[in-house]
Amino acid sequence: MRQIASITQIPGIKAANYTNAEAGTGCTVIICPEGATGAVDVRGGAPATRETDLLRPEETVQILNAVVLSGGSAYGLAASCGVAEELERHGIGLDVGVGVVPIVSGACVFDLACGAPDVRPTAENGAEATRKALANEGEPLERGCVGAGTGCTVGKLGGPELTMKSGLGEDVECAGELVCGAVSAVNACGDVVDPETGKPIAAMRTPDGKGLGNTVEALLAMQAKMPLSRTNTTISCVVTNAKLTKAQATKVAQMSADAYAHAIRPTHSTNDGDTIFVMATGKVDAPVDIVGALATRALERAIADGAKSATSMFGLPAASDLK
Amino acid sequence: MRQIASITQIPGIKAANYTNAEAGTGCTVIICPEGATGAVDVRGGAPATRETDLLRPEETVQILNAVVLSGGSAYGLAASCGVAEELERHGIGLDVGVGVVPIVSGACVFDLACGAPDVRPTAENGAEATRKALANEGEPLERGCVGAGTGCTVGKLGGPELTMKSGLGEDVECAGELVCGAVSAVNACGDVVDPETGKPIAAMRTPDGKGLGNTVEALLAMQAKMPLSRTNTTISCVVTNAKLTKAQATKVAQMSADAYAHAIRPTHSTNDGDTIFVMATGKVDAPVDIVGALATRALERAIADGAKSATSMFGLPAASDLK
């Protein structure tokens, strides 16, 4: 089985981050210049997204040029505008006769409470990440507190004192010729757990701040509404070389949502705007269920990686600090 | 914390099974004579359902009188017709001036490959379960190879030789005054695992038939489409005393789908018509996220119980046989 270290090594895929470590925000751009088959699954209660309606199987457009994962809450959708403009400069997009219209879908995490709340990814930041991605010839994507993961945190139910730093995670899995990779900006209210064993990796800390607590138990004992200020969202992009229709890619996106359940507890809450995009480059025939199972594995491991690869920032410890 | 052994002890809820052990099929009826707030989440690729459209938050009808979980594949929807007719005889349903129309939602499992394929739950079987349920004054619901669980099997990817018997599971959880119960007919293609630790309870067996294998690994190694003859489906009903709007109940149903990911691997495949109903009796104020977390816990434990409480039938061993 071949080794693929990053989604940037999947033929047809380019990716890079823009990171503003000082302000605690950034964005991650995943580009398919030739146009992937796209799909999305929005399962969280508080999403911030753009260009998700055209991904529905019954709608006309059949390509997706880029997925933008961004910090900055709904303001961060501006980064996608800059990605579209930069792709236009490179002649990448849907040919509409008088030019091209790049198809750019995006989703945001709420990272305003981490770092500077008034600094969000801009169109120029999106354009910068796009230029970096297009120039990337297979260099692995950076992971940790970078890109859309820069301001990500988890285990937020107990307030900022017990929150932990998380970040951007990635994983690539192969089964024969089939490749499924995933990138995830892990910004859940809940705890990140090992998807195989359920053991916590990064979680709401115990009251002394030194151990890993349990958000589900805390929530059930709380008898109160989750504060909106602790808004969350884990946003991800699955990239595969599978040949899928839009309808099949949609089913794969839906199946991949199980990765959230495997690696985050609880997930899909009313304050989690959990969203998963799929980009399929159409090179390898594979049954939908196998693509779904492999994508789920890649995504659950990417989520775990987002917690494991983070480092402490803004006074918030990361999983690597509590070892 | 009070002890509630079964959903039949939740005020306003009645439930019972019809079981045809010889033919390997049956149905489970959960009734709220006063009308619960209803919702549904259909996340599987091959559902067989009725009266799910009216459960959408924007549609008019605000009550749900019964949920019918049935064997018999799509033929088993007939049981729901008998439930409706029996409820009419008791004057239970939506008052439409000239009489009542009982609101009965239903979903089916594919159990035709277990026992007699040409015997399916009929309208009369549904009516019989309804009479039994209405006469039930808190007797716990039977579990195991009964009702909709009579013909349920799991771990089916390796064919009948490696399949295991599963059944109908139940669990009730409390958090203060809030109660969430769940009933599940566990008929997955995948393996049932402990929702806390991921360890298998009932699964595709190892080639010698004596141990528990791993369906995800087998699927990823298979490189072929899942045969349609191994059609599956886990169908469930969450019952809670929470006060929820239809929209809130829908979110709870969606959150509860994470229970499938916690307890079944893989789940939500193209051959799994996974469906979850919610019935909320509206007695206790509780935040949606807490109801969702408690419902998820009840449902994942009900799924595990469906595997644990089954006994061997038709030559298929159950979890209790492999200990």
Side-chain angles (χ1 to χ4, degrees):
Chain A
M1 195 163 290
R2 82 193 115 158
Q3 287 297 310
I4 294 183
S6 173
I7 60 161
T8 57
Q9 293 163 8
I10 298 175
I13 297 294
K14 304 279 189 181
N17 295 306
Y18 161 81
T19 302
N20 184 338
E22 199 177 325
T25 196
C27 66
T28 300
V29 179
I30 301 133
I31 301 170
C32 183
E34 290 180 22
T37 300
V40 68
D41 182 71
V42 181
R43 197 73 177 160
T49 58
R50 59 165 262 164
E51 289 284 53
T52 50
D53 284 319
L54 60 63
L55 295 178
R56 286 200 301 261
E58 67 272 27
E59 309 306 351
T60 308
V61 170
Q62 297 292 317
I63 64 160
L64 176 59
N65 292 115
V67 166
V68 183
L69 309 178
S70 174
S73 190
Y75 298 110
L77 292 174
S80 294
C81 302
V83 173
E85 288 161 13
E86 188 64 28
L87 289 177
E88 183 191 21
R89 286 177 208 119
H90 290 82
I92 294 168
L94 184 70
D95 186 346
V96 290
V98 295
V100 296
V101 177
I103 308 301
V104 180
S105 294
C108 306
V109 293
F110 179 88
D111 60 2
L112 304 185
C114 185
D118 56 347
V119 179
R120 303 103 183 207
T122 64
E124 178 43 40
N125 301 154
E128 183 181 328
T130 303
R131 287 189 293 273
K132 198 173 153 193
L134 291 176
N136 184 344
E137 298 291 346
E139 186 73 19
L141 190 68
E142 294 169 283
R143 296 141 51 232
C145 296
V146 294
T150 310
C152 283
T153 52
V154 297
K156 287 188 265 264
L157 192 70
E161 306 73 28
L162 304 181
T163 294
M164 285 182 70
K165 192 72 188 74
S166 181
L168 187 78
E170 190 196 19
D171 184 73
V172 182
E173 299 289 328
C174 302
E177 289 301 304
L178 176 66
V179 179
C180 288
V183 176
S184 185
V186 182
N187 194 46
C189 174
D191 307 328
V192 177
V193 303
D194 182 299
E196 297 292 327
T197 64
K199 288 188 183 158
I201 297 169
M204 185 177 84
R205 283 175 287 155
T206 49
D208 66 3
K210 292 177 183 168
L212 297 173
N214 185 314
T215 297
V216 172
E217 296 296 348
L219 181 67
L220 292 178
M222 204 167 86
Q223 301 284 319
K225 204 175 156 190
M226 209 182 278
L228 193 58
S229 62
R230 294 180 200 158
T231 277
N232 328 289
T233 286
T234 299
I235 54 177
S236 308
C237 183
V238 166
V239 180
T240 177
N241 63 355
K243 194 178 289 179
L244 301 173
T245 64
K246 282 178 80 178
Q248 291 171 325
T250 301
K251 185 48 77 179
V252 169
Q254 290 175 358
M255 290 176 179
S256 302
D258 286 345
Y260 282 40
H262 292 165
I264 305 171
R265 297 200 177 190
T267 191
H268 300 135
S269 82
T270 57
N271 287 6
D272 284 306
D274 299 334
T275 299
I276 300 169
F277 295 100
V278 168
M279 300 179 89
T281 63
K283 306 296 183 197
V284 172
D285 285 308
V288 171
D289 288 309
I290 295 182
V291 181
L294 197 65
T296 300
R297 176 170 288 185
L299 182 50
E300 68 198 29
R301 290 179 179 178
I303 293 167
D305 181 60
K308 286 179 189 165
S309 63
T311 49
S312 59
M313 273 173 75
F314 304 109
L316 300 174
S320 52
D321 297 309
L322 293 192
K323 273 178 184 161
Chain B
M1 196 164 290
R2 82 193 114 159
Q3 288 296 311
I4 295 184
S6 174
I7 61 162
T8 57
Q9 293 162 8
I10 298 175
I13 297 295
K14 303 278 188 182
N17 295 307
Y18 161 81
T19 303
N20 184 337
E22 199 177 323
T25 196
C27 66
T28 300
V29 179
I30 302 132
I31 301 169
C32 182
E34 290 181 22
T37 300
V40 68
D41 182 72
V42 181
R43 196 74 178 162
T49 58
R50 61 166 259 163
E51 289 284 52
T52 50
D53 284 318
L54 60 63
L55 295 179
R56 287 200 301 262
E58 67 272 25
E59 310 306 351
T60 308
V61 169
Q62 298 291 318
I63 64 160
L64 176 59
N65 294 115
V67 166
V68 183
L69 309 179
S70 174
S73 191
Y75 299 109
L77 293 174
S80 294
C81 302
V83 173
E85 288 161 14
E86 188 63 28
L87 289 177
E88 182 190 22
R89 284 176 211 121
H90 289 82
I92 294 170
L94 183 70
D95 186 348
V96 290
V98 293
V100 296
V101 177
I103 308 300
V104 180
S105 295
C108 305
V109 294
F110 178 89
D111 60 1
L112 304 186
C114 185
D118 57 347
V119 179
R120 303 103 186 209
T122 64
E124 178 42 42
N125 300 154
E128 183 180 329
T130 303
R131 288 189 291 275
K132 198 172 152 193
L134 291 176
N136 184 344
E137 299 290 346
E139 187 71 19
L141 190 67
E142 293 169 284
R143 297 142 49 232
C145 297
V146 295
T150 309
C152 284
T153 52
V154 296
K156 287 187 266 260
L157 191 70
E161 305 74 26
L162 305 181
T163 294
M164 286 182 71
K165 192 72 187 74
S166 180
L168 187 79
E170 189 195 21
D171 184 73
V172 182
E173 299 289 328
C174 301
E177 290 301 306
L178 176 66
V179 178
C180 288
V183 175
S184 185
V186 183
N187 193 46
C189 173
D191 307 328
V192 177
V193 303
D194 182 298
E196 297 291 327
T197 65
K199 287 186 183 158
I201 296 169
M204 184 177 85
R205 283 175 287 156
T206 49
D208 66 3
K210 293 177 182 168
L212 298 173
N214 184 315
T215 297
V216 172
E217 296 295 348
L219 180 67
L220 292 178
M222 203 168 86
Q223 301 283 321
K225 206 175 156 190
M226 209 182 278
L228 192 60
S229 63
R230 294 177 199 161
T231 277
N232 327 289
T233 286
T234 300
I235 54 177
S236 308
C237 184
V238 166
V239 181
T240 177
N241 64 355
K243 194 178 289 178
L244 301 173
T245 64
K246 281 178 81 179
Q248 290 171 325
T250 301
K251 184 51 75 179
V252 169
Q254 291 174 357
M255 290 176 180
S256 302
D258 285 345
Y260 282 39
H262 292 164
I264 305 171
R265 297 199 178 193
T267 188
H268 300 134
S269 83
T270 57
N271 286 6
D272 284 306
D274 300 333
T275 300
I276 300 168
F277 294 99
V278 168
M279 301 180 88
T281 63
K283 305 297 182 198
V284 171
D285 284 308
V288 172
D289 288 308
I290 294 181
V291 181
L294 197 66
T296 300
R297 175 170 288 183
L299 181 50
E300 68 197 29
R301 290 178 180 178
I303 293 168
D305 181 60
K308 286 178 189 166
S309 63
T311 48
S312 59
M313 272 174 75
F314 304 109
L316 299 174
S320 53
D321 297 308
L322 293 192
K323 273 177 184 163

Short mmCIF file of all heavy atoms in Angstrom, two decimals, chain B residues 22-76:
data_model
loop_
_atom_site.label_atom_id
_atom_site.label_comp_id
_atom_site.label_asym_id
_atom_site.label_seq_id
_atom_site.Cartn_x
_atom_site.Cartn_y
_atom_site.Cartn_z
N GLU B 22 -41.93 -18.42 15.19
CA GLU B 22 -41.78 -19.49 14.20
C GLU B 22 -41.36 -18.93 12.84
O GLU B 22 -40.46 -19.46 12.19
CB GLU B 22 -43.12 -20.22 14.07
CG GLU B 22 -43.02 -21.60 13.46
CD GLU B 22 -44.38 -22.27 13.44
OE1 GLU B 22 -45.16 -22.07 14.40
OE2 GLU B 22 -44.66 -22.96 12.46
N ALA B 23 -41.99 -17.83 12.45
CA ALA B 23 -41.69 -17.22 11.15
C ALA B 23 -40.55 -16.21 11.23
O ALA B 23 -40.06 -15.73 10.21
CB ALA B 23 -42.93 -16.55 10.58
N GLY B 24 -40.13 -15.87 12.45
CA GLY B 24 -39.03 -14.92 12.60
C GLY B 24 -39.39 -13.50 12.22
O GLY B 24 -38.62 -12.81 11.54
N THR B 25 -40.54 -13.04 12.71
CA THR B 25 -40.92 -11.65 12.44
C THR B 25 -41.86 -11.17 13.54
O THR B 25 -42.28 -11.95 14.40
CB THR B 25 -41.54 -11.50 11.03
OG1 THR B 25 -41.56 -10.11 10.67
CG2 THR B 25 -42.96 -12.05 10.97
N GLY B 26 -42.19 -9.89 13.51
CA GLY B 26 -43.06 -9.33 14.53
C GLY B 26 -43.08 -7.82 14.45
O GLY B 26 -42.51 -7.23 13.51
N CYS B 27 -43.75 -7.20 15.41
CA CYS B 27 -43.77 -5.74 15.43
C CYS B 27 -43.86 -5.23 16.86
O CYS B 27 -44.27 -5.96 17.77
CB CYS B 27 -44.90 -5.16 14.58
SG CYS B 27 -46.56 -5.52 15.16
N THR B 28 -43.44 -4.00 17.05
CA THR B 28 -43.44 -3.34 18.35
C THR B 28 -44.21 -2.03 18.21
O THR B 28 -43.92 -1.24 17.31
CB THR B 28 -41.98 -3.05 18.78
OG1 THR B 28 -41.28 -4.29 18.85
CG2 THR B 28 -41.93 -2.36 20.13
N VAL B 29 -45.17 -1.84 19.09
CA VAL B 29 -46.03 -0.66 19.00
C VAL B 29 -45.83 0.20 20.25
O VAL B 29 -45.92 -0.31 21.37
CB VAL B 29 -47.52 -1.08 18.88
CG1 VAL B 29 -48.41 0.14 18.81
CG2 VAL B 29 -47.71 -1.95 17.65
N ILE B 30 -45.57 1.48 20.03
CA ILE B 30 -45.40 2.44 21.13
C ILE B 30 -46.48 3.50 20.94
O ILE B 30 -46.53 4.16 19.90
CB ILE B 30 -44.00 3.07 21.10
CG1 ILE B 30 -42.95 1.96 21.21
CG2 ILE B 30 -43.82 4.08 22.21
CD1 ILE B 30 -41.85 2.06 20.20
N ILE B 31 -47.32 3.65 21.95
CA ILE B 31 -48.52 4.47 21.80
C ILE B 31 -48.53 5.62 22.81
O ILE B 31 -48.19 5.42 23.98
CB ILE B 31 -49.80 3.61 21.99
CG1 ILE B 31 -49.82 2.49 20.95
CG2 ILE B 31 -51.06 4.46 21.91
CD1 ILE B 31 -50.89 1.44 21.20
N CYS B 32 -48.93 6.79 22.36
CA CYS B 32 -49.19 7.92 23.24
C CYS B 32 -50.63 8.35 22.96
O CYS B 32 -50.88 9.11 22.02
CB CYS B 32 -48.22 9.07 22.98
SG CYS B 32 -48.49 10.46 24.10
N PRO B 33 -51.60 7.81 23.74
CA PRO B 33 -53.02 8.09 23.43
C PRO B 33 -53.33 9.57 23.34
O PRO B 33 -54.11 10.00 22.48
CB PRO B 33 -53.76 7.41 24.59
CG PRO B 33 -52.84 6.33 25.05
CD PRO B 33 -51.45 6.89 24.88
N GLU B 34 -52.71 10.38 24.22
CA GLU B 34 -53.00 11.83 24.20
C GLU B 34 -52.31 12.54 23.04
O GLU B 34 -52.59 13.71 22.77
CB GLU B 34 -52.53 12.47 25.51
CG GLU B 34 -53.38 12.06 26.70
CD GLU B 34 -52.90 12.72 27.98
OE1 GLU B 34 -52.23 13.77 27.91
OE2 GLU B 34 -53.19 12.17 29.05
N GLY B 35 -51.34 11.88 22.40
CA GLY B 35 -50.61 12.50 21.30
C GLY B 35 -49.32 13.13 21.78
O GLY B 35 -49.34 14.09 22.55
N ALA B 36 -48.22 12.58 21.35
CA ALA B 36 -46.91 13.15 21.68
C ALA B 36 -46.52 14.15 20.59
O ALA B 36 -47.10 14.17 19.51
CB ALA B 36 -45.87 12.04 21.74
N THR B 37 -45.52 14.98 20.90
CA THR B 37 -44.88 15.75 19.84
C THR B 37 -43.92 14.79 19.14
O THR B 37 -43.09 14.15 19.79
CB THR B 37 -44.10 16.94 20.42
OG1 THR B 37 -45.02 17.77 21.12
CG2 THR B 37 -43.41 17.74 19.33
N GLY B 38 -44.04 14.71 17.82
CA GLY B 38 -43.28 13.70 17.09
C GLY B 38 -42.23 14.29 16.18
O GLY B 38 -42.30 15.44 15.77
N ALA B 39 -41.23 13.45 15.90
CA ALA B 39 -40.18 13.83 14.95
C ALA B 39 -39.52 12.57 14.43
O ALA B 39 -39.71 11.48 14.99
CB ALA B 39 -39.14 14.72 15.62
N VAL B 40 -38.75 12.73 13.36
CA VAL B 40 -38.06 11.57 12.79
C VAL B 40 -36.74 12.01 12.19
O VAL B 40 -36.60 13.16 11.74
CB VAL B 40 -38.95 10.89 11.72
CG1 VAL B 40 -39.13 11.77 10.49
CG2 VAL B 40 -38.39 9.53 11.31
N ASP B 41 -35.78 11.11 12.20
CA ASP B 41 -34.53 11.31 11.46
C ASP B 41 -34.27 10.06 10.65
O ASP B 41 -34.16 8.97 11.21
CB ASP B 41 -33.37 11.56 12.44
CG ASP B 41 -32.07 11.82 11.70
OD1 ASP B 41 -31.94 12.91 11.11
OD2 ASP B 41 -31.19 10.94 11.71
N VAL B 42 -34.22 10.22 9.34
CA VAL B 42 -33.93 9.09 8.44
C VAL B 42 -32.53 9.31 7.90
O VAL B 42 -32.28 10.26 7.16
CB VAL B 42 -34.94 9.02 7.28
CG1 VAL B 42 -34.61 7.83 6.39
CG2 VAL B 42 -36.35 8.92 7.81
N ARG B 43 -31.62 8.48 8.30
CA ARG B 43 -30.21 8.70 7.96
C ARG B 43 -29.65 7.54 7.13
O ARG B 43 -28.53 7.61 6.64
CB ARG B 43 -29.44 8.84 9.28
CG ARG B 43 -28.07 9.44 9.16
CD ARG B 43 -28.12 10.93 8.91
NE ARG B 43 -26.80 11.50 8.86
CZ ARG B 43 -26.52 12.69 8.32
NH1 ARG B 43 -27.47 13.43 7.83
NH2 ARG B 43 -25.31 13.16 8.30
N GLY B 44 -30.40 6.48 7.00
CA GLY B 44 -29.92 5.34 6.23
C GLY B 44 -30.27 5.48 4.77
O GLY B 44 -31.12 6.30 4.37
N GLY B 45 -29.65 4.64 3.94
CA GLY B 45 -29.81 4.75 2.50
C GLY B 45 -30.98 3.99 1.93
O GLY B 45 -31.34 4.17 0.77
N ALA B 46 -31.62 3.12 2.73
CA ALA B 46 -32.67 2.26 2.20
C ALA B 46 -33.83 2.13 3.19
O ALA B 46 -34.13 1.04 3.67
CB ALA B 46 -32.08 0.89 1.89
N PRO B 47 -34.49 3.25 3.50
CA PRO B 47 -35.56 3.20 4.50
C PRO B 47 -36.87 2.66 3.94
O PRO B 47 -37.13 2.71 2.74
CB PRO B 47 -35.73 4.66 4.89
CG PRO B 47 -35.33 5.43 3.68
CD PRO B 47 -34.26 4.61 2.99
N ALA B 48 -37.70 2.13 4.83
CA ALA B 48 -39.10 1.76 4.53
C ALA B 48 -39.93 2.40 5.62
O ALA B 48 -39.89 1.96 6.77
CB ALA B 48 -39.27 0.25 4.54
N THR B 49 -40.67 3.46 5.29
CA THR B 49 -41.34 4.26 6.31
C THR B 49 -42.74 4.70 5.87
O THR B 49 -43.07 4.70 4.69
CB THR B 49 -40.54 5.54 6.62
OG1 THR B 49 -40.39 6.29 5.42
CG2 THR B 49 -39.17 5.23 7.19
N ARG B 50 -43.55 5.14 6.81
CA ARG B 50 -44.83 5.78 6.52
C ARG B 50 -45.05 6.90 7.53
O ARG B 50 -44.56 6.85 8.66
CB ARG B 50 -46.00 4.80 6.57
CG ARG B 50 -46.21 4.13 7.90
CD ARG B 50 -47.56 3.44 7.97
NE ARG B 50 -48.52 4.25 8.70
CZ ARG B 50 -49.84 4.11 8.67
NH1 ARG B 50 -50.38 3.17 7.93
NH2 ARG B 50 -50.64 4.88 9.38
N GLU B 51 -45.81 7.90 7.10
CA GLU B 51 -46.16 9.05 7.93
C GLU B 51 -44.93 9.71 8.56
O GLU B 51 -44.90 10.00 9.76
CB GLU B 51 -47.16 8.64 9.01
CG GLU B 51 -48.55 8.32 8.45
CD GLU B 51 -49.37 9.55 8.06
OE1 GLU B 51 -48.87 10.40 7.32
OE2 GLU B 51 -50.53 9.62 8.53
N THR B 52 -43.92 9.93 7.72
CA THR B 52 -42.76 10.69 8.17
C THR B 52 -42.84 12.13 7.68
O THR B 52 -42.32 13.03 8.34
CB THR B 52 -41.45 10.05 7.67
OG1 THR B 52 -41.57 9.82 6.26
CG2 THR B 52 -41.20 8.72 8.35
N ASP B 53 -43.48 12.36 6.54
CA ASP B 53 -43.55 13.73 6.01
C ASP B 53 -44.29 14.66 6.96
O ASP B 53 -43.88 15.81 7.16
CB ASP B 53 -44.22 13.74 4.63
CG ASP B 53 -43.27 13.24 3.55
OD1 ASP B 53 -42.08 13.63 3.59
OD2 ASP B 53 -43.71 12.47 2.69
N LEU B 54 -45.37 14.17 7.56
CA LEU B 54 -46.16 15.07 8.42
C LEU B 54 -45.42 15.41 9.71
O LEU B 54 -45.83 16.33 10.44
CB LEU B 54 -47.55 14.50 8.71
CG LEU B 54 -47.74 13.17 9.40
CD1 LEU B 54 -47.22 13.12 10.80
CD2 LEU B 54 -49.23 12.84 9.42
N LEU B 55 -44.33 14.71 9.99
CA LEU B 55 -43.56 15.01 11.19
C LEU B 55 -42.64 16.22 11.00
O LEU B 55 -42.09 16.73 11.98
CB LEU B 55 -42.72 13.79 11.61
CG LEU B 55 -43.53 12.56 12.05
CD1 LEU B 55 -42.57 11.42 12.40
CD2 LEU B 55 -44.42 12.87 13.25
N ARG B 56 -42.46 16.66 9.77
CA ARG B 56 -41.58 17.82 9.55
C ARG B 56 -42.12 19.03 10.30
O ARG B 56 -43.34 19.25 10.37
CB ARG B 56 -41.48 18.14 8.05
CG ARG B 56 -40.64 17.14 7.28
CD ARG B 56 -40.17 17.73 5.96
NE ARG B 56 -41.27 18.12 5.11
CZ ARG B 56 -41.77 17.38 4.10
NH1 ARG B 56 -41.24 16.21 3.82
NH2 ARG B 56 -42.77 17.83 3.38
N PRO B 57 -41.21 19.84 10.87
CA PRO B 57 -41.63 20.96 11.73
C PRO B 57 -42.62 21.90 11.06
O PRO B 57 -43.48 22.48 11.73
CB PRO B 57 -40.31 21.68 12.04
CG PRO B 57 -39.26 20.65 11.89
CD PRO B 57 -39.74 19.70 10.82
N GLU B 58 -42.52 22.07 9.74
CA GLU B 58 -43.38 23.06 9.06
C GLU B 58 -44.75 22.51 8.71
O GLU B 58 -45.62 23.26 8.26
CB GLU B 58 -42.67 23.58 7.80
CG GLU B 58 -42.47 22.57 6.68
CD GLU B 58 -41.19 21.77 6.78
OE1 GLU B 58 -40.67 21.60 7.90
OE2 GLU B 58 -40.72 21.28 5.73
N GLU B 59 -44.98 21.21 8.89
CA GLU B 59 -46.28 20.64 8.53
C GLU B 59 -47.26 20.77 9.70
O GLU B 59 -46.89 20.91 10.85
CB GLU B 59 -46.13 19.19 8.06
CG GLU B 59 -45.05 18.97 7.00
CD GLU B 59 -45.16 19.86 5.74
OE1 GLU B 59 -46.16 20.57 5.56
OE2 GLU B 59 -44.21 19.85 4.95
N THR B 60 -48.54 20.64 9.36
CA THR B 60 -49.62 21.08 10.24
C THR B 60 -49.82 20.22 11.50
O THR B 60 -49.94 20.75 12.60
CB THR B 60 -50.95 21.07 9.43
OG1 THR B 60 -50.72 21.83 8.26
CG2 THR B 60 -52.08 21.66 10.24
N VAL B 61 -49.89 18.92 11.30
CA VAL B 61 -50.28 18.05 12.42
C VAL B 61 -49.25 18.13 13.55
O VAL B 61 -48.04 18.06 13.31
CB VAL B 61 -50.45 16.60 11.92
CG1 VAL B 61 -50.59 15.63 13.10
CG2 VAL B 61 -51.67 16.50 11.02
N GLN B 62 -49.72 18.33 14.76
CA GLN B 62 -48.83 18.55 15.90
C GLN B 62 -48.78 17.36 16.85
O GLN B 62 -48.11 17.44 17.89
CB GLN B 62 -49.29 19.80 16.67
CG GLN B 62 -49.23 21.08 15.86
CD GLN B 62 -47.81 21.53 15.54
OE1 GLN B 62 -46.93 21.47 16.39
NE2 GLN B 62 -47.57 21.95 14.30
N ILE B 63 -49.48 16.27 16.53
CA ILE B 63 -49.45 15.13 17.45
C ILE B 63 -49.03 13.86 16.74
O ILE B 63 -49.14 13.74 15.51
CB ILE B 63 -50.83 14.87 18.10
CG1 ILE B 63 -51.87 14.48 17.03
CG2 ILE B 63 -51.28 16.06 18.93
CD1 ILE B 63 -53.08 13.76 17.59
N LEU B 64 -48.53 12.94 17.52
CA LEU B 64 -48.17 11.61 17.02
C LEU B 64 -48.73 10.61 18.03
O LEU B 64 -48.37 10.64 19.21
CB LEU B 64 -46.65 11.49 16.90
CG LEU B 64 -46.09 10.14 16.48
CD1 LEU B 64 -46.62 9.72 15.11
CD2 LEU B 64 -44.56 10.19 16.44
N ASN B 65 -49.62 9.74 17.57
CA ASN B 65 -50.27 8.79 18.48
C ASN B 65 -49.51 7.49 18.64
O ASN B 65 -49.61 6.85 19.69
CB ASN B 65 -51.70 8.48 18.00
CG ASN B 65 -52.62 9.66 18.07
OD1 ASN B 65 -53.08 10.15 17.05
ND2 ASN B 65 -52.87 10.14 19.28
N ALA B 66 -48.81 7.07 17.61
CA ALA B 66 -48.13 5.78 17.73
C ALA B 66 -46.95 5.69 16.77
O ALA B 66 -46.97 6.28 15.68
CB ALA B 66 -49.10 4.63 17.45
N VAL B 67 -45.95 4.96 17.22
CA VAL B 67 -44.83 4.58 16.36
C VAL B 67 -44.84 3.06 16.27
O VAL B 67 -44.94 2.38 17.30
CB VAL B 67 -43.50 5.09 16.92
CG1 VAL B 67 -42.31 4.41 16.23
CG2 VAL B 67 -43.41 6.60 16.77
N VAL B 68 -44.76 2.55 15.06
CA VAL B 68 -44.75 1.11 14.85
C VAL B 68 -43.41 0.70 14.24
O VAL B 68 -43.07 1.13 13.13
CB VAL B 68 -45.91 0.68 13.92
CG1 VAL B 68 -45.91 -0.85 13.78
CG2 VAL B 68 -47.24 1.18 14.45
N LEU B 69 -42.66 -0.08 14.99
CA LEU B 69 -41.43 -0.69 14.47
C LEU B 69 -41.83 -2.09 14.04
O LEU B 69 -42.42 -2.83 14.83
CB LEU B 69 -40.35 -0.74 15.55
CG LEU B 69 -40.06 0.58 16.29
CD1 LEU B 69 -38.97 0.35 17.35
CD2 LEU B 69 -39.64 1.68 15.33
N SER B 70 -41.50 -2.44 12.80
CA SER B 70 -42.04 -3.69 12.27
C SER B 70 -41.00 -4.47 11.48
O SER B 70 -40.12 -3.89 10.83
CB SER B 70 -43.23 -3.36 11.35
OG SER B 70 -43.68 -4.52 10.71
N GLY B 71 -41.12 -5.79 11.50
CA GLY B 71 -40.38 -6.63 10.57
C GLY B 71 -41.10 -6.66 9.24
O GLY B 71 -42.03 -5.89 9.00
N GLY B 72 -40.65 -7.54 8.34
CA GLY B 72 -41.38 -7.75 7.10
C GLY B 72 -40.98 -6.87 5.94
O GLY B 72 -41.70 -6.81 4.94
N SER B 73 -39.88 -6.13 6.08
CA SER B 73 -39.47 -5.18 5.04
C SER B 73 -40.66 -4.27 4.73
O SER B 73 -41.53 -4.08 5.60
CB SER B 73 -38.97 -5.94 3.81
OG SER B 73 -38.35 -5.07 2.89
N ALA B 74 -40.74 -3.71 3.54
CA ALA B 74 -41.79 -2.72 3.24
C ALA B 74 -43.19 -3.30 3.41
O ALA B 74 -44.14 -2.56 3.70
CB ALA B 74 -41.60 -2.17 1.83
N TYR B 75 -43.34 -4.64 3.26
CA TYR B 75 -44.65 -5.27 3.48
C TYR B 75 -45.15 -5.01 4.90
O TYR B 75 -46.36 -4.94 5.15
CB TYR B 75 -44.56 -6.79 3.29
CG TYR B 75 -44.14 -7.24 1.92
CD1 TYR B 75 -42.89 -7.80 1.71
CD2 TYR B 75 -45.01 -7.12 0.83
CE1 TYR B 75 -42.50 -8.23 0.45
CE2 TYR B 75 -44.63 -7.55 -0.43
CZ TYR B 75 -43.37 -8.11 -0.62
OH TYR B 75 -43.00 -8.53 -1.86
N GLY B 76 -44.22 -4.90 5.84
CA GLY B 76 -44.56 -4.77 7.25
C GLY B 76 -45.26 -3.46 7.59
O GLY B 76 -45.76 -3.29 8.71
#
